Amino acid sequence: MKILVIEDEQGLRENITSYLNVDGNICESCSTLTTSLQKLSDYDYDCVLLDIGLPDGEGFGVLEYLSIKQKTEAVLIISARNSLDDKLKGLNIGADDYLTKPFHLAELKARLMAVYRRKAFNTSNKLVFNEISVDMQGRTVEINQTPIVLTRKEYDMLLYFMANKGKVISKNAIAEHLWGDEMDMYDSFDFIYTHIKNLRRKILEAGGKDYLTSIYGMGYKFTD
């Protein structure tokens, strides 16, 4: 994804961009309302991380700008303000989600991926890749128009791979995205292998192709 991080706290801004860049995202950042509006005028982004308490104005101005210009960036507000009024205002004028500080970076990335998926795929509520069809509203999966039964983690994993098809995804990235802070309970990533093995088996048994490839020492790749 191409991401714009709008955050005036330098340490947090740098931590976020460094963390998100690890997965191959392109992260740009700025610390003021003026600079953010200029960047949004000059470039298109997939997602915007928005702090609403900026030194030269309210970050809500970014949401108003995106609405006026009919731009399609997904927006996740990150703010120390946790009042219901601020949350409702942000969501009502165009934000896709609202995350209160302090937060874990793993949760931030999971929320970011969720709003990106909704924005990118929910125009039809269906995500299709060759013989695989995912109904994102009903959370159902079909292979060659035949339904298959997946666990919640298998479903989320398939969606994550399809949204990142062609990219090598590390085991750590998969664990953080699907398990978040729960991953600390595990001593190894063997549980990921088990879920991938089960997901692959169910797709093959339904007549689908094997799109999941293990990249030694790096992770997994979902591709033709």
Side-chain angles (χ1 to χ4, degrees):
M1 291 184 291
K2 186 176 181 182
I3 304 165
L4 178 61
V5 181
I6 306 171
E7 167 61 58
D8 65 325
E9 186 181 332
Q10 182 178 353
L12 178 58
R13 185 173 67 247
E14 292 176 351
N15 285 341
I16 291 173
T17 54
S18 297
Y19 186 77
L20 294 177
N21 276 332
V22 170
D23 289 334
N25 299 304
I26 300 171
C27 292
E28 297 181 4
S29 65
C30 56
S31 59
T32 66
L33 177 61
T34 302
T35 308
S36 65
L37 294 179
Q38 185 61 56
K39 282 184 171 290
L40 289 166
S41 173
D42 293 340
Y43 308 105
D44 292 324
Y45 299 89
D46 295 307
C47 294
V48 175
L49 291 176
L50 173 64
D51 182 8
I52 54 177
L54 300 173
D56 60 338
E58 291 281 275
F60 293 124
V62 169
L63 293 168
E64 293 164 353
Y65 175 83
L66 293 175
S67 176
I68 291 170
K69 297 298 182 180
Q70 297 184 325
K71 291 175 68 68
T72 59
E73 284 84 349
V75 179
L76 170 58
I77 292 177
I78 49 174
S79 176
R81 303 182 194 174
N82 62 0
S83 74
L84 181 60
D85 286 344
D86 283 323
K87 291 179 181 179
L88 292 177
K89 180 177 181 179
L91 295 170
N92 285 334
I93 63 175
D96 296 280
D97 200 355
Y98 194 113
L99 182 60
T100 304
K101 300 176 184 176
F103 48 76
H104 291 285
L105 291 175
E107 181 183 5
L108 173 70
K109 183 164 68 173
R111 294 278 198 102
L112 188 65
M113 284 299 301
V115 299
Y116 173 63
R117 285 198 306 267
R118 289 199 298 269
K119 207 81 167 185
F121 304 133
N122 266 12
T123 51
S124 65
N125 287 321
K126 278 204 172 183
L127 178 60
V128 178
F129 179 74
N130 296 341
E131 73 275 17
I132 303 174
S133 176
V134 180
D135 182 334
M136 298 178 65
Q137 187 170 16
R139 292 181 68 86
T140 57
V141 179
E142 293 183 350
I143 307 291
N144 291 318
Q145 299 182 329
T146 299
I148 64 171
V149 178
L150 301 180
T151 66
R152 179 178 176 180
K153 290 300 183 186
E154 289 165 358
Y155 172 87
D156 290 341
M157 183 175 282
L158 175 61
L159 201 61
Y160 186 47
F161 277 122
M162 291 177 72
N164 290 278
K165 60 180 181 289
K167 299 178 183 177
V168 177
I169 305 175
S170 69
K171 292 179 181 178
N172 189 68
I174 296 171
E176 286 187 350
H177 179 74
L178 296 178
W179 280 268
D181 294 337
E182 294 177 25
M183 63 180 285
D184 295 334
M185 297 187 300
Y186 298 93
D187 296 327
S188 70
F189 289 128
D190 290 345
F191 63 98
I192 293 177
Y193 171 74
T194 300
H195 283 283
I196 288 177
K197 181 179 70 174
N198 291 335
L199 175 61
R200 175 187 279 129
R201 174 179 55 79
K202 290 181 179 181
I203 292 174
L204 291 173
E205 287 178 350
K209 296 179 182 178
D210 187 3
Y211 298 109
L212 282 163
T213 304
S214 176
I215 309 298
Y216 183 75
M218 299 177 67
Y220 293 91
K221 188 176 183 179
F222 187 88
T223 186
D224 283 316

